[in-house]
Amino acid sequence: MLTAEMLKSMANVEKTRSARMNVTPARMSAEEKDTLLQEYHPDYRQSGFTVLSVGPNKGSKVPTELAELLQANSRIKSDEIDLDRIDYDVDVLIIGGGGAGTSAAIEADKAGAKVLLVTKLKMGEANTMMAEGGIQAADKENDSPAIHYLDALGGGHYSNKPELLKRLVHDGPLAIKWLNDLGVMFDKDEKGVMVTTHGGGTSRKRMHAAADYTGAEIMRVLRDEAVNRGITTIDYAPAIELILDENGKAAGAVLMNYDTGEYLVAKGKTVIIATGGAGRLHYQGFPTSNHYGATADGLVLGYRVGAELIYADAIQYHPTGVAYPAQIFGALVTEKVRSLGAMLINSEGEAFMHPLETRDVAAASIIRECTTRGKGVPALDGSAVWLDTPMIEMIHGAGTIEKRLPGMLRMYGKFGIDLRKEPILVYPTLHYQNGGILINEQAGTKIENLFVAGEAVGGIHGTNRLMGNSLLDIIVFGRIAGKSAAQKSKETQLGKLTLSHIDKFQAELAAAGIHTDKVSPLLLPTYTHGRKVR
């Protein structure tokens, strides 16, 4: 039930709604954005970061919660696993069963490779399933990959790896066609033309969607295709350590059977890490929109064998996470709500920013409104701002929310909140890992035969990602990783398998004076009663 303070503030929103319908706040200048981010975005809070003392990124800062895992002990000793007893022997081993891993599996299988996909939960239980708003691609007459490139470059603060961003936008239209041909039910008009909308930071309408459950629809189709192809999948078998051969090539992984605790050896001529994000580490105490298994496992596995990270200190806090009610606290409110016209409004009924600023700018603006300006609405243990959803149907007509945002309508409807009639309370939620393992255009790393795709990759989006480019990158680079790994497996002869990198890393920790009882990868988060988030 809404509090008296919430109801009083909601009345201010309703009172100013008509006046706001035709007056959109101006966009900020580049200087204003830079100042805002420096003062209010969590990425600029030095207290939230630790400088690494070991590994390929020694001297770089990363979130403290991630540093504890990167500089932790392995879950196993190098001599307790019998690497001569091989349980699975394949051409391509894929670690992770979300959109990137499954796309890679499909392409590797299509290329004739023997594929094994392992995942710590079940195939599809990933952030892909939770992506709502859409997938970007420049496939309309008034658009082009070059324009898409410039939008994403500016959104990423000009820090994107140019060769990776070029590949992303160039292959974008091909990715949409591939998904459409597989059976993804994108929104289309009466003539069968795909409906596209704007996203924050975009200059063209290039957001393709399936209502507001785009990721779930994409994952449904990818999973069906993998099953129909007969690709071998092992659920509830997380990778806890990579295996190298005596020449330093990636050569497989040690898996753990969740049910029995038994260790299994999976040998692969090539390995693809597609383990997703890190939201469940709850950087700086923020809530998260991520699925339960998003604990940065791939970054830990790759880092321990020497793979380099990039922009690990750049995190995306989605500006509109649920701030009320408590049952869905931190869940994602898709940016599509704002792209359809809903404005962000403070406690006094004021629209304090352009609704389609980039995500980092929007998140910082909300934090400023709730802190320095004191214009937040008290909600649960913190404060929030309003997202004025009734504006959508005033702009586009009755029935728009039910047609374009059915998932949002149902999610809030369970708690007696009708998006069509009343605004909702939002606050930034930990959403996306902008940084990750550095790859080349073929999705390869500095470790031979080790490939990475999806949210575990860094560099594609720079230090801030635009809406819809993550669903695009899992398809584009998932497919690339699958093809690259399959081809490389045909040229590979592995030497003797080894886990000696564990001992080398342990020695490096000792030399740096790091003595810890933590082990990694974390695999699953631990929640205790009374834990306070944010």
Side-chain angles (χ1 to χ4, degrees):
M1 181 179 293
L2 296 176
T3 66
E5 286 180 287
M6 291 177 185
L7 291 171
K8 181 181 177 181
S9 179
M10 185 187 292
N12 292 336
V13 178
E14 294 168 346
K15 185 167 57 178
T16 62
R17 186 175 291 140
S18 296
R20 287 187 278 101
M21 284 296 295
N22 299 311
V23 182
T24 303
R27 289 187 181 274
M28 297 181 196
S29 68
E31 293 74 18
E32 289 173 323
K33 291 178 183 179
D34 286 343
T35 299
L36 175 71
L37 292 172
Q38 289 282 346
E39 293 184 10
Y40 294 100
H41 196 278
D43 279 359
Y44 296 86
R45 295 176 187 166
Q46 296 305 313
S47 60
F49 298 87
T50 295
V51 175
L52 293 172
S53 300
V54 300
N57 288 83
K58 180 179 178 180
S60 299
K61 70 172 186 176
V62 301
T64 296
E65 297 85 350
L66 177 60
E68 290 177 351
L69 297 178
L70 292 176
Q71 300 184 149
N73 304 307
S74 175
R75 286 180 167 269
I76 57 175
K77 304 293 185 184
S78 62
D79 58 358
E80 69 177 297
I81 305 297
D82 182 2
L83 296 179
D84 291 325
R85 184 184 63 80
I86 296 171
D87 299 281
Y88 303 96
D89 193 348
V90 297
D91 297 322
V92 179
L93 171 64
I94 301 171
I95 304 170
T102 311
S103 295
I106 292 168
E107 289 293 356
D109 180 76
K110 190 183 297 185
K114 183 180 179 182
V115 178
L116 173 64
L117 186 151
V118 300
T119 181
K120 69 177 174 182
L121 298 176
K122 291 179 67 177
M123 181 193 284
E125 291 187 0
N127 283 344
T128 303
M129 280 291 291
M130 307 173 82
E132 299 164 343
I135 174 172
Q136 283 204 54
D139 59 357
K140 292 295 180 73
E141 292 181 356
N142 70 332
D143 203 0
S144 71
I147 298 173
H148 188 179
Y149 181 98
L150 292 174
D151 284 349
L153 187 66
H157 302 299
Y158 305 97
S159 57
N160 319 57
K161 296 291 287 184
E163 67 278 12
L164 301 182
L165 181 56
K166 178 181 177 182
R167 192 67 188 264
L168 178 76
V169 300
H170 179 272
D171 287 8
L174 299 175
I176 295 294
K177 183 180 186 305
W178 186 70
L179 291 171
N180 188 62
D181 290 347
L182 283 177
V184 171
M185 298 177 68
F186 288 112
D187 294 340
K188 297 177 182 177
D189 63 19
E190 62 278 359
K191 295 181 181 180
V193 177
M194 291 190 193
V195 175
T196 52
T197 58
H198 273 299
T202 63
S203 62
R204 298 291 189 275
K205 293 182 178 180
R206 68 173 71 94
M207 199 69 56
H208 303 67
D212 60 348
Y213 45 82
T214 311
E217 170 62 8
I218 289 173
M219 196 67 241
R220 175 190 69 83
V221 171
L222 294 178
R223 184 167 45 202
D224 285 352
E225 180 68 11
V227 171
N228 291 339
R229 284 184 163 274
I231 294 171
T232 302
T233 303
I234 307 176
D235 295 330
Y236 303 114
I240 59 169
E241 199 65 61
L242 294 182
I243 299 170
L244 303 179
D245 78 352
E246 58 191 340
N247 301 309
K249 299 176 183 176
V254 178
L255 314 178
M256 184 178 73
N257 184 313
Y258 262 150
D259 292 330
T260 66
E262 176 189 10
Y263 295 133
L264 304 169
V265 174
K267 180 181 179 182
K269 293 179 179 177
T270 55
V271 178
I272 300 174
I273 290 176
T275 51
R280 289 289 167 172
L281 299 184
H282 293 288
Y283 298 144
Q284 300 186 40
F286 272 79
T288 187
S289 62
N290 284 192
H291 80 104
Y292 190 57
T295 52
D297 295 356
L299 272 59
V300 172
L301 296 175
Y303 196 73
R304 199 136 56 211
V305 297
E308 183 180 350
L309 305 182
I310 183 173
Y311 304 143
D313 59 337
I315 313 301
Q316 182 161 95
Y317 297 83
H318 195 292
T320 55
V322 176
Y324 183 88
Q327 295 93 328
I328 49 174
F329 180 62
L332 182 66
V333 176
T334 172
E335 191 170 306
K336 190 174 182 180
V337 176
R338 286 184 289 134
S339 72
L340 289 171
M343 288 184 177
L344 288 162
I345 311 297
N346 64 25
S347 61
E348 298 180 10
E350 301 166 335
F352 56 90
M353 56 162 281
H354 190 285
L356 289 180
E357 293 285 8
T358 56
R359 287 177 172 178
D360 55 350
V361 170
S365 296
I366 293 170
I367 292 171
R368 178 176 64 181
E369 213 67 18
C370 292
T371 53
T372 303
R373 292 183 174 176
K375 294 184 179 181
V377 183
L380 301 178
D381 292 331
S383 59
V385 298
W386 296 104
L387 184 56
D388 197 6
T389 50
M391 291 183 68
I392 293 173
E393 302 216 329
M394 292 178 69
I395 295 170
H396 301 285
T400 301
I401 288 178
E402 185 173 7
K403 180 180 179 181
R404 304 291 294 277
L405 299 165
M408 288 283 100
L409 187 64
R410 284 194 299 272
M411 181 172 78
Y412 275 96
K414 292 177 182 178
F415 306 101
I417 298 172
D418 189 340
L419 304 183
R420 298 166 293 190
K421 300 177 181 178
E422 53 192 307
I424 55 177
L425 287 165
V426 297
Y427 190 83
T429 186
L430 185 54
H431 183 60
Y432 190 81
Q433 177 179 275
N434 287 314
I437 299 173
L438 180 62
I439 62 169
N440 58 30
E441 291 176 81
Q442 302 306 317
T445 69
K446 64 184 293 185
I447 306 302
E448 191 174 354
N449 291 15
L450 179 63
F451 301 84
V452 188
E455 198 173 342
V457 168
I460 301 171
H461 308 291
T463 53
N464 179 62
R465 177 180 63 77
L466 296 186
M467 171 191 181
N469 278 347
S470 61
L471 281 181
L472 182 61
D473 93 51
I474 65 173
I475 303 302
V476 168
F477 284 97
R479 296 182 69 198
I480 289 171
K483 294 174 184 177
S484 298
Q487 179 59 42
K488 193 68 164 63
S489 72
K490 296 174 183 178
E491 309 161 0
T492 294
Q493 292 294 325
L494 293 175
K496 183 177 176 60
L497 304 188
T498 175
L499 289 170
S500 61
H501 69 274
I502 296 176
D503 298 326
K504 293 176 183 176
F505 195 79
Q506 201 67 41
E508 196 174 350
L509 290 175
I514 297 175
H515 303 284
T516 176
D517 58 359
K518 286 187 175 293
V519 296
S520 63
L522 178 62
L523 301 183
L524 294 174
T526 299
Y527 293 96
T528 56
H529 181 68
R531 173 178 176 173
K532 184 176 180 180
V533 177
R534 184 159 63 90

